[in-house]
């Protein structure tokens, strides 16, 4: 059976990674969370004092890029892949509100994008991959056989993210999360390099009111059609 490339792009907290992971599991494809890669570089910048308060020292970050290694390792116990920053697992450290608040300016730096897109190309060159992010269908894999563009109402997205962070014990308010989600959308859609935009041939899915199970089956059917060459 042919192995296709599936690109899932969309706004922050639309549940891209949940559905991407489900699809990859079902199809036995590799799943790549590209947001985790931009978050890992942001974590490095925070840890090294390259971001201080609200100030991002772009030149220092660009100079440090050759020292930053971002990779994934497959964990057979949990059946998931873990993001590694210079060899260390940073899966939960990159999910804090602090990283979320600084990641979009980091992701707007062309040198950062160039480095990560090269890694993404390498990971996806054989097909059999589900990759989620902001520019996968437009820049990273413009020839992907299936492109999904996910949206949902901002208040609903903020609510979902707020509950997720609260459940893991983070000390945050709904208003902070709403502010972060909408501010990231603003920066991600207006940056000069690879802004978040729906590819002309992407299928838009608004999941404000959809249950996640239905959404999964809709996207899975689209994937099966593409794999069988029906569309
Ligand atoms: O998917 P996420 O929320 O974890 O992504 C974090 C940030 O990384 C997002 O606000 C923008 C950036 N990003 C990007 O610019 N390009 C990608 N392909 C993935 C994420």
């Amino acid at each position: 059976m042919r192995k296709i490339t599936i690109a899932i792009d969309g706004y922050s907290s639309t549940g891209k990674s949940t559905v991407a992971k489900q699809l990859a599991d079902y199809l036995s494809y590799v799943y790549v969370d590209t947001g985790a890669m931009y978050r890992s570089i942001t974590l490095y910048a925070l840890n090294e004092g390259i971001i201080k308060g609200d100030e991002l020292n772009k030149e220092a970050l660009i100079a440090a890029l050759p020292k930053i290694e971002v990779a994934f390792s497959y964990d057979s116990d949990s059946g998931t892949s873990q993001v590694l920053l210079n060899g260390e697992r940073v899966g939960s450290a990159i999910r804090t509100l602090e990283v979320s608040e600084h990641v979009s300016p980091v992701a707007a730096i062309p040198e950062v994008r160039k480095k990560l897109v090269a890694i993404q190309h390498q990971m996806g060159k054989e097909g059999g991959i589900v990759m989620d992010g902001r520019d996968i269908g437009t820049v990273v894999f413009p020839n992907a056989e299936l492109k999904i563009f996910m949206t949902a109402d901002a208040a609903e997205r903020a609510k979902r993210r707020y509950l997720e962070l609260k459940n893991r014990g983070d000390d945050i308010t709904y208003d902070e999360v709403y502010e972060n989600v909408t501010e990231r959308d603003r920066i991600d859609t207006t940056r000069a390099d690879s802004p978040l935009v729906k590819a002309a041939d992407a299928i838009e899915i608004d999941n404000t009111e959809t249950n996640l199970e239905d959404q999964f089956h809709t996207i899975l059917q689209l994937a099966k059609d593409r794999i069988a060459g029906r569309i």
Side-chain angles (χ1 to χ4, degrees):
M1 191 126 48
R2 75 177 183 139
K3 294 215 164 220
I4 64 166
T5 299
I6 302 177
I8 302 190
D9 291 302
Y11 294 97
S12 299
S13 304
T14 43
K16 298 184 295 293
S17 55
T18 307
V19 77
K21 232 180 275 167
Q22 286 174 313
L23 269 182
D25 282 351
Y26 188 96
L27 298 168
S28 300
Y29 279 17
V30 174
Y31 163 59
V32 180
D33 171 0
T34 63
M37 302 171 81
Y38 291 93
R39 285 172 179 271
S40 296
I41 297 213
T42 307
L43 180 66
Y44 179 95
L46 284 163
N47 288 346
E48 296 297 316
I50 293 173
I51 297 173
K52 281 204 197 99
D54 273 345
E55 287 299 307
L56 161 64
N57 184 337
K58 283 189 200 167
E59 290 69 34
L61 183 55
I62 293 166
L65 284 177
K67 289 189 286 186
I68 310 177
E69 190 195 71
V70 177
F72 290 89
S73 81
Y74 184 72
D75 178 27
S76 50
D77 289 342
S78 62
T80 57
S81 77
Q82 302 278 337
V83 64
L84 302 177
L85 170 62
N86 289 339
E88 241 180 78
R89 286 179 177 205
V90 290
S92 37
I94 59 169
R95 303 266 161 231
T96 61
L97 190 59
E98 189 187 22
V99 170
S100 296
E101 279 173 351
H102 292 96
V103 64
S104 286
V106 168
I109 300 173
E111 289 82 354
V112 169
R113 304 202 69 80
K114 196 166 166 231
K115 177 184 174 93
L116 296 186
V117 169
I119 300 171
Q120 291 155 13
H121 277 155
Q122 192 58 27
M123 288 190 288
K125 68 180 191 314
E126 314 278 349
I129 196 155
V130 186
M131 201 173 268
D132 81 46
R134 303 293 186 290
D135 60 340
I136 311 305
T138 49
V139 173
V140 182
F141 292 117
N143 296 325
E145 286 87 350
L146 176 60
K147 299 181 187 177
I148 303 290
F149 188 83
M150 291 181 50
T151 67
D153 181 68
E156 177 61 28
R157 292 189 276 129
K159 192 174 98 193
R160 291 178 196 160
R161 178 52 63 100
Y162 169 71
L163 292 174
E164 191 183 313
L165 293 173
K166 254 319 206 214
N167 276 339
R168 62 169 226 181
D170 289 13
D171 180 23
I172 33 123
T173 65
Y174 168 81
D175 288 348
E176 282 172 323
V177 177
Y178 180 83
E179 167 69 23
N180 173 253
V181 162
T182 50
E183 178 61 4
R184 276 202 286 143
D185 288 348
R186 188 188 67 75
I187 301 176
D188 296 344
T189 52
T190 56
R191 68 180 175 223
D193 186 351
S194 319
L196 168 63
V197 32
K198 178 178 168 290
D201 52 349
I203 295 164
E204 184 164 334
I205 294 194
D206 183 325
N207 63 25
T208 309
E209 288 173 7
T210 318
N211 103 22
L212 293 184
E213 177 122 359
D214 290 349
Q215 169 179 276
F216 170 63
H217 286 290
T218 304
I219 300 177
L220 179 61
Q221 192 54 51
L222 290 167
K224 286 180 172 170
D225 288 344
R226 296 305 195 281
I227 292 167
R230 282 195 286 267
I231 303 181

